[in-house]
Amino acid sequence: MLQPSTSERSMLSIASEYFLKNGTDLFDFIDVCLMVDFEKWYEEIKKETFETIFLPLSWSELKAVTFLSTITDKRNGEVKQNIPEEHMLTISTLEKRIDDACQKLGGKIFCKLNTRSPKDCAYYPFFKKSIDELNKSLDKSFQDIPIPQPEEDKELSKDIKTSLARSFLRAIFQSLSLTDGKSAISLLTLSKRIYIDLSFCLGRQRYIKNCPVLLVLRRWVEIEPAFEFRGFVHNKKLTALSQYYSLFFFPELLPLKDQIQKFIQDYFKANILSKVSHDYYCIDFAFVRKILPTSISNSTLYSDFNKSELSKWLDGDSISNFELKVIELNPFASGTGTCLFKAKEKRDLRILCGEEPFEFRIVEQDFSEGGGFDTALSKEWQNIIKTLLKNKYLSTFNTTSNVI
């Protein structure tokens, strides 16, 4: 029988005793997500990550949420049939539990399962919150520069496209913020990813005993997309690092690349290596502003991300108000994105498995000449953005005309 190489076997492992059969079965991947054990690693590095509350789902809650997910149309978010009274009561109680946890976490949260998150919803073109957040993000992007005049036959400039790509990323991120249990349940039941995970856990009752299904509620923290990174840990060694949003060009990373690499490597050695019990995992990092001492309702507000201040902080300026945080750990398995590395390419696989020297990869050239607008965004989203931009221009033009 043909046996996989050491590199191939290692790449598919979540811990030394666990191996995926072939790296292609989605349910195998959900299996290893459960094996990562969010609660365990959270306790191990609690001080290095964001405050979190875990809500174990009872059997009745799991059935009720799965049922609601089943009858929610994933194409438009509509609920296709009536919800039985017993499920409605169960969901209402669960929403109240989420409300209580949300208040304890500052009034604004990110919600996921202990398997995966509902982030796919943010990319649905019909998802109203994404469009609303995009509108706000565009307003912020064009505070200091004029909105371009829409012309049917004229392509948007490179700078405008880059600005729009950033606006899109920030909007997608913001659309996943939640302030109550009702919106959390709506988001979870709209997600295709969550539906698959719930169905899997419901179908394998043994996980209710051996590995509970948990709602993971995390204090909301503003993250600048350019400064989120994914690290790869093989046999307790940080082998590689990549910018997280691999389809976008962030020119501000270029002069900071060496500083960021050294800081994350030193941070991992000092704060993560000896604390996390897993041997193989992917770990997501983000540079964020420190939480400011404000009232509980505003406890996650951050000031604007100043890149020159970050550079000083990376060089050891303790006055600058930044910190590096761990977002989460994911399986070191073929189902976890490898960003700017390609696990099917032998050299990249050797790097990820520690058989080649450490590499930190960022997008170093704007190949799309638009920051990722043409290559990372679907045509549908490009059209939505152009329509919003056109409406803003016309609104501005009409307001200016009235003033004159």
Side-chain angles (χ1 to χ4, degrees):
M1 180 184 292
L2 185 64
Q3 294 295 319
S5 67
T6 302
S7 292
E8 290 167 336
R9 179 175 289 275
S10 296
M11 181 58 193
L12 297 178
S13 64
I14 178 56
S16 57
E17 67 269 37
Y18 297 123
F19 294 92
L20 289 177
K21 296 173 185 175
N22 52 29
T24 58
D25 191 295
L26 176 59
F27 292 128
D28 279 347
F29 180 67
I30 298 172
D31 241 337
V32 294
C33 284
L34 290 168
M35 290 173 191
V36 170
D37 195 344
F38 202 119
E39 279 187 299
K40 183 178 180 181
W41 71 253
Y42 175 74
E43 287 300 323
E44 291 171 341
I45 56 170
K46 184 184 291 188
K47 292 182 179 179
E48 309 303 327
T49 189
F50 308 126
E51 186 180 0
T52 301
I53 292 176
F54 299 94
L55 299 182
L57 291 182
S58 67
W59 181 244
S60 60
E61 287 172 335
L62 180 58
K63 287 196 297 182
V65 176
T66 305
F67 176 82
L68 183 54
S69 181
T70 301
I71 64 172
T72 299
D73 194 325
K74 303 299 186 281
R75 296 168 298 179
N76 53 30
E78 295 179 1
V79 177
K80 295 180 286 188
Q81 66 183 75
N82 294 331
I83 306 170
E85 186 176 352
E86 61 174 309
H87 286 340
M88 288 184 67
L89 291 172
T90 300
I91 288 172
S92 178
T93 302
L94 178 57
E95 288 176 352
K96 180 63 170 61
R97 291 173 65 201
I98 297 172
D99 286 340
D100 293 342
C102 185
Q103 289 308 304
K104 292 176 183 177
L105 293 170
K108 197 173 183 181
I109 59 171
F110 175 74
C111 177
K112 68 188 294 292
L113 294 184
N114 56 324
T115 51
R116 296 187 291 175
S117 76
K119 67 179 182 181
D120 53 317
C121 293
Y123 294 90
Y124 296 168
F126 64 83
F127 188 45
K128 185 177 183 300
K129 192 173 181 186
S130 289
I131 295 175
D132 290 344
E133 292 295 342
L134 183 55
N135 243 324
K136 296 176 189 176
S137 186
L138 289 172
D139 285 340
K140 187 173 181 180
S141 295
F142 291 97
Q143 274 181 337
D144 302 319
I145 59 175
I147 299 173
Q149 181 177 354
E151 297 181 46
E152 297 295 333
D153 300 327
K154 189 176 180 181
E155 188 74 10
L156 292 169
S157 71
K158 174 183 173 180
D159 289 342
I160 292 297
K161 283 185 177 181
T162 300
S163 180
L164 294 176
R166 293 293 185 92
S167 295
F168 175 78
L169 265 185
R170 293 191 183 105
I172 291 301
F173 178 78
Q174 288 292 336
S175 71
L176 296 172
S177 66
L178 303 164
T179 56
D180 56 58
K182 188 175 182 65
S183 60
I185 295 298
S186 295
L187 185 67
L188 290 168
T189 54
L190 178 63
S191 167
K192 295 175 184 177
R193 285 157 54 100
I194 297 300
Y195 172 69
I196 291 169
D197 293 8
L198 288 171
S199 301
F200 170 80
C201 293
L202 190 67
R204 297 193 182 184
Q205 294 186 27
R206 63 192 176 92
Y207 284 108
I208 304 305
K209 294 180 181 178
N210 299 336
C211 196
V213 180
L214 307 172
L215 275 187
V216 180
L217 308 179
R218 315 205 71 191
R219 179 182 288 273
W220 183 261
V221 174
E222 302 294 342
I223 297 175
E224 181 68 21
F227 292 93
E228 184 174 344
F229 306 93
R230 172 157 289 179
F232 303 87
V233 179
H234 181 275
N235 198 21
K236 289 191 174 295
K237 176 184 177 183
L238 184 64
T239 59
L241 188 67
S242 171
Q243 72 177 59
Y244 186 82
Y245 293 100
S246 55
L247 295 177
F248 294 84
F249 174 60
F250 303 113
E252 60 267 44
L253 291 181
L254 295 174
L256 297 175
K257 183 181 179 185
D258 291 343
Q259 290 171 286
I260 290 171
Q261 176 180 322
K262 184 179 185 307
F263 192 95
I264 291 180
Q265 286 177 312
D266 291 347
Y267 173 87
F268 176 81
K269 186 180 294 184
N271 299 289
I272 307 299
L273 178 59
S274 63
K275 296 177 184 178
V276 173
S277 54
H278 290 302
D279 294 332
Y280 304 89
Y281 52 93
C282 296
I283 179 169
D284 296 338
F285 302 98
F287 289 101
V288 297
R289 287 281 194 177
K290 288 182 181 178
I291 294 177
L292 304 173
T294 59
S295 66
I296 187 169
S297 61
N298 293 313
S299 58
T300 56
L301 289 179
Y302 288 73
S303 49
D304 287 340
F305 203 95
N306 187 299
K307 291 174 277 294
S308 61
E309 286 183 20
L310 175 63
S311 179
K312 293 177 184 177
W313 180 75
L314 289 168
D315 278 337
D317 178 4
S318 59
I319 297 176
S320 297
N321 200 32
F322 290 93
E323 59 187 343
L324 181 64
K325 283 290 191 181
V326 172
I327 300 174
E328 65 176 356
L329 270 59
N330 286 292
F332 192 99
S334 64
T336 301
T338 50
C339 302
L340 289 170
F341 294 89
K342 297 179 180 179
K344 292 183 179 180
E345 292 189 3
K346 291 184 178 180
R347 182 175 179 275
D348 280 10
L349 186 58
R350 291 197 300 270
I351 292 169
L352 296 177
C353 293
E355 298 171 9
E356 295 272 353
F358 177 96
E359 277 196 27
F360 174 30
R361 293 182 182 177
I362 62 174
V363 178
E364 300 195 10
Q365 185 177 343
D366 188 7
F367 294 104
S368 68
E369 295 193 346
F373 183 83
D374 292 319
T375 53
L377 277 62
S378 69
K379 287 294 182 184
E380 198 164 3
W381 270 114
Q382 289 179 37
N383 290 334
I384 289 172
I385 291 173
K386 289 175 181 178
T387 298
L388 292 175
L389 206 59
K390 180 178 180 180
N391 292 340
K392 287 184 182 300
Y393 175 82
L394 293 175
S395 175
T396 304
F397 179 78
N398 291 334
T399 301
T400 306
S401 297
N402 290 335
V403 171
I404 293 173

